[in-house]
Amino acid sequence: MNTTDPRLALVAGEASGDLLAGLLLGGLKQRWPDLQSAGIGGPQMKRHGFDAWWPYDLLAVHGYSFELLWRLRRLFKMRAELGDRLLKERPDAFIGVDAPDFNLGLETRLKQAGIKTIHFVSPSIWAWRGNRIHKIRKAVDHVLCLFPFEPELYQRAGIAATYVGHPLADAIPMEVPREAARTALNLAEDATVIALLPGSRRSEIRYIAPSLLGAAALLTKQRPGLKFVLPTMRGVRDLIDPLVAKFAGQIDLQVIDGRSHEALAACDLTLIASGTATLEAALFKRPMVITYNMHWLSWLRMKRMAYQPWVGLPNILSRGFVVPELLQDSCTPEALAQAALQWLDSPSRCEGARQRFTELHHLLRQDTARRATDAIAQILGR
């Protein structure tokens, strides 16, 4: 058995992938202190010694965002250059963290050349584009799944897969540190606080943030004294600031750099863009209104390919509408404000959501870093 610490290549896209990959690298470094890792990543990965040849935010082109197609040529060129470098250096394994539109093609090339390929975070084949499972079979040796129902789907297709739980369930405390978060954000204990999370992509800020801020203004008219917190991500502040300026004096709003977990811990309710952040909100046991809006051509394409009536992870995992979803034409300030008031006026409904999210937290808390590291060690034969 080879006992030397491995050399791994990783690619993670956008902030959520960087966070997941950082948590994974933390577990890998505990087992293999001299682990070497390099590829495409961000600050959470760099904390564990990751050598970022390219920054992760260059991968911020997704699926069918037609307004961003002009950037694809640059991505294809970067993927080809990365593949050439990895084939020359030949790491012990490649781990693609989410970003399937970028990673699956790269993984196929590496696997054909004899490099072990692992995909961490299953593409949402159970929600849409299920025919991608054939591409996944050609691309990967093993899939590390975040949700318990996923391995069976892969095993039926002849693809090795392991349920490892969700690393956010390990990172987020079971008991929400509400008081500490409010102290850190200078929010009074008795204030009613609503967190606005429009997403991290620039297109999300353009399409979603105006409706969230408009809803905040309507809610303030009906419930004076409400406090709002809006965490921003790196690279979108230039879009956020002009929008916030339009509502100056209309809402009591605190804009903060990052710190979305503090905002979720401190709030009573969140209006939130569909994505990984909705799972984070559920793990913080917070009632929420999920929303999304995008270019109408992208929406038509995704709607036609969807398999389930839900888009938000809390609803998908619960197999029902535990929280409301206001999508595309329904993503209006009026609809969002009304859905928020329904939560604020129903403490018993909020308690029911809290209990369901606690059950979900226990289900997903599996010591993901250890489970994933065990699976990777087995794949590598170490």
Side-chain angles (χ1 to χ4, degrees):
M1 177 181 291
N2 189 345
T3 58
T4 60
D5 289 354
R7 294 181 304 113
L8 300 177
L10 292 89
V11 169
E14 65 180 349
S16 61
D18 178 45
L19 174 62
L20 294 174
L23 294 169
L24 174 62
L25 283 172
L28 291 169
K29 292 284 280 188
Q30 285 187 11
R31 177 174 294 228
W32 297 303
D34 294 326
L35 172 85
Q36 298 178 47
S37 60
I40 299 176
Q44 297 300 322
M45 300 166 73
K46 290 180 182 178
R47 290 176 53 222
H48 299 286
F50 181 79
D51 184 7
W53 297 337
W54 286 273
Y56 74 99
D57 47 9
L58 292 180
L59 270 64
V61 175
H62 295 268
Y64 298 100
S65 298
F66 289 94
E67 64 270 28
L68 298 176
L69 284 178
W70 63 272
R71 296 183 61 185
L72 286 177
R73 184 177 178 181
R74 181 184 181 187
L75 279 180
F76 287 137
K77 183 175 184 292
M78 182 173 65
R79 185 167 67 179
E81 291 175 358
L82 174 60
D84 290 343
R85 184 167 180 176
L86 294 179
L87 289 176
K88 181 179 179 181
E89 299 191 5
R90 300 197 67 84
D92 294 297
F94 173 85
I95 303 175
V97 183
D98 208 359
D101 291 321
F102 184 93
N103 279 326
L104 289 177
L106 177 60
E107 288 162 353
T108 299
R109 183 183 178 192
L110 298 177
K111 183 180 179 182
Q112 289 174 347
I115 295 175
K116 294 286 187 182
T117 57
I118 301 162
H119 199 85
F120 181 41
V121 184
S122 165
S124 302
I125 55 173
W126 32 266
W128 70 305
R129 295 177 68 186
N131 60 348
R132 277 199 296 185
I133 199 162
H134 305 298
K135 187 173 185 179
I136 294 169
R137 185 190 297 111
K138 295 178 181 178
V140 306
D141 292 295
H142 207 102
V143 181
L144 303 179
C145 301
L146 303 188
F147 304 124
F149 59 84
E150 292 175 324
E152 183 181 355
L153 299 176
Y154 286 104
Q155 289 160 8
R156 288 205 302 260
I159 303 169
T162 302
Y163 171 52
V164 298
H166 204 296
L168 287 172
D170 297 317
I172 294 172
M174 194 65 68
E175 295 297 325
V176 178
R178 180 178 183 273
E179 183 177 347
R182 291 203 166 201
T183 298
L185 296 175
N186 295 315
L187 295 167
E189 178 62 27
D190 60 351
T192 300
V193 179
I194 299 178
L196 307 177
L197 278 77
S200 60
R201 306 172 195 166
R202 294 180 70 84
S203 61
E204 290 171 332
I205 301 303
R206 294 190 184 100
Y207 283 103
I208 301 171
S211 292
L212 296 191
L213 291 165
L218 292 175
L219 285 165
T220 299
K221 289 180 179 179
Q222 297 183 62
R223 300 287 173 89
L226 290 175
K227 308 286 186 182
F228 297 89
V229 178
L230 195 163
T232 65
M233 295 300 297
R234 177 166 75 106
V236 300
R237 192 66 188 253
D238 63 312
L239 298 179
I240 286 287
D241 288 343
L243 292 173
V244 170
K246 293 181 180 180
F247 292 91
Q250 299 181 51
I251 55 180
D252 187 343
L253 175 66
Q254 180 181 172
V255 180
I256 56 177
D257 292 323
R259 303 171 71 184
S260 61
H261 282 193
E262 284 185 346
L264 289 172
C267 76
D268 298 288
L269 167 69
T270 179
L271 308 182
I272 188 167
S274 179
T276 302
T278 63
L279 180 62
E280 294 176 276
L283 295 172
F284 277 104
K285 327 298 186 300
R286 291 301 179 246
M288 72 190 81
V289 180
I290 295 175
T291 191
Y292 211 80
N293 195 2
M294 63 178 68
H295 190 282
W296 67 272
L297 286 173
S298 300
W299 171 252
L300 289 177
R301 185 70 178 266
M302 291 189 68
K303 187 177 181 180
R304 187 167 65 247
M305 300 179 73
Y307 304 145
Q308 301 188 81
W310 321 283
V311 302
L313 284 169
N315 290 333
I316 289 171
L317 293 169
S318 299
R319 311 299 295 174
F321 283 104
V322 177
V323 300
E325 297 181 356
L326 299 174
L327 310 176
Q328 205 60 14
D329 293 341
S330 297
C331 176
T332 65
E334 294 77 13
L336 289 164
Q338 182 179 7
L341 287 172
Q342 289 173 354
W343 279 117
L344 295 176
D345 290 337
S346 182
S348 62
R349 184 179 173 218
C350 292
E351 175 59 22
R354 188 195 67 78
Q355 293 178 6
R356 178 67 191 99
F357 293 155
T358 299
E359 295 170 0
L360 183 62
H361 200 158
H362 284 292
L363 177 66
L364 298 179
R365 177 172 275 196
Q366 298 289 328
D367 194 354
T368 297
R370 179 186 59 79
R371 280 188 173 230
T373 299
D374 288 346
I376 292 169
Q378 187 171 2
I379 294 164
L380 296 177
R382 298 182 185 224

